[in-house]
Amino acid sequence: MKKKTLSILSLCIALFAALALVGCGGNASGGGSSAAKGESKEKAPVAKKTDFIWFKVEMPEGVGVSDSAGKNADRVQLTFPENENTTVDRFIPVWEEKMTAEEALADEGRKNSMFQWKVGDPVEHNGRTWLTGTCEDNRGTHTYLFTDVEPGSVCVLIANFDQHEKEAETLLNSIEFPDDMAKAVAEAREVEISSIEIK
């Protein structure tokens, strides 16, 4: 009787050990898989973005920062490398609190109606849809892009886009905005551009 009980007990222990090993194997391979995922995430290149508080953007080589519109971060403008005419072209973001992108596009069209204003096709950058318009004057062609944020919209003006296409594309493809624009812009008004670390 004792032998029978011992052999049944031995069989139970063996089965339990086998199940435990299968379970460990499953967990080990699952763990290995998640570790591999973690490693691939770690090795993925992370874009270095400068945080201007109300927007973040990757700064391409040659692009600088101007405080010509005001010394605080809500007024920051980005300057492109100088062109052959030695004029400075800019990437100028402006928050429009009370207008949607569509309304801001129409408003800009009214303001620029005497400068060969043309509405273009919408474009996609960094998961956002931007409405576009261009106008020409004696300084060249100015491209306007409008996208909705919460609340309102953001307009980006790019002077002579075609001469700075590579840098402009990098800026547009990396720009991101906070969830609460009103709060972020209010904070940016309190911070001087000179205190921001440019990456």
Side-chain angles (χ1 to χ4, degrees):
M1 184 73 179
K2 278 185 184 177
K3 283 185 181 179
K4 195 173 183 180
T5 306
L6 281 172
S7 63
I8 290 171
L9 187 60
S10 299
L11 183 62
C12 286
I13 290 169
L15 279 169
F16 179 76
L19 286 171
L21 282 171
V22 169
C24 286
N27 286 343
S29 68
S33 159
S34 67
K37 283 180 187 171
E39 281 174 24
S40 68
K41 278 184 185 174
E42 229 174 83
K43 290 178 184 175
V46 178
K48 287 185 178 179
K49 293 187 179 181
T50 295
D51 187 350
F52 291 104
I53 304 165
W54 72 275
F55 72 95
K56 291 181 184 178
V57 74
E58 182 183 341
M59 297 284 284
E61 190 175 342
V63 171
V65 176
S66 170
D67 62 3
S68 59
K71 297 199 175 295
N72 290 0
D74 65 311
R75 297 289 187 169
V76 70
Q77 298 183 7
L78 306 181
T79 58
F80 293 114
E82 291 185 356
N83 64 26
E84 64 275 10
N85 300 319
T86 68
T87 59
V88 177
D89 293 332
R90 288 186 169 89
F91 178 100
I92 304 173
V94 178
W95 177 48
E96 304 280 1
E97 182 179 10
K98 296 180 180 176
M99 286 192 274
T100 65
E102 197 171 332
E103 291 166 340
L105 174 67
D107 185 58
E108 201 61 53
R110 283 189 293 275
K111 290 178 192 171
N112 288 301
S113 57
M114 65 184 90
F115 295 111
Q116 299 180 38
W117 175 259
K118 292 178 190 170
V119 174
D121 294 328
V123 295
E124 296 283 328
H125 290 289
N126 200 25
R128 286 187 167 275
T129 300
W130 297 79
L131 306 181
T132 64
T134 59
C135 71
E136 293 180 36
D137 63 17
N138 58 356
R139 294 170 297 152
T141 302
H142 308 286
T143 301
Y144 292 81
L145 300 101
F146 303 86
T147 192
D148 288 310
V149 292
E150 186 55 48
S153 60
V154 169
C155 169
V156 171
L157 165 61
I158 302 174
N160 296 310
F161 182 96
D162 57 330
Q163 294 177 32
H164 313 286
E165 191 168 352
K166 184 181 173 188
E167 294 91 348
E169 291 281 350
T170 299
L171 292 167
L172 288 167
N173 285 325
S174 66
I175 198 164
E176 60 181 80
F177 302 103
D179 294 331
D180 187 339
M181 285 291 289
K183 182 180 175 185
V185 171
E187 187 182 336
R189 288 185 183 124
E190 303 300 316
V191 177
E192 289 199 1
I193 295 169
S194 58
S195 68
I196 290 172
E197 181 190 353
I198 310 300
K199 293 182 184 176

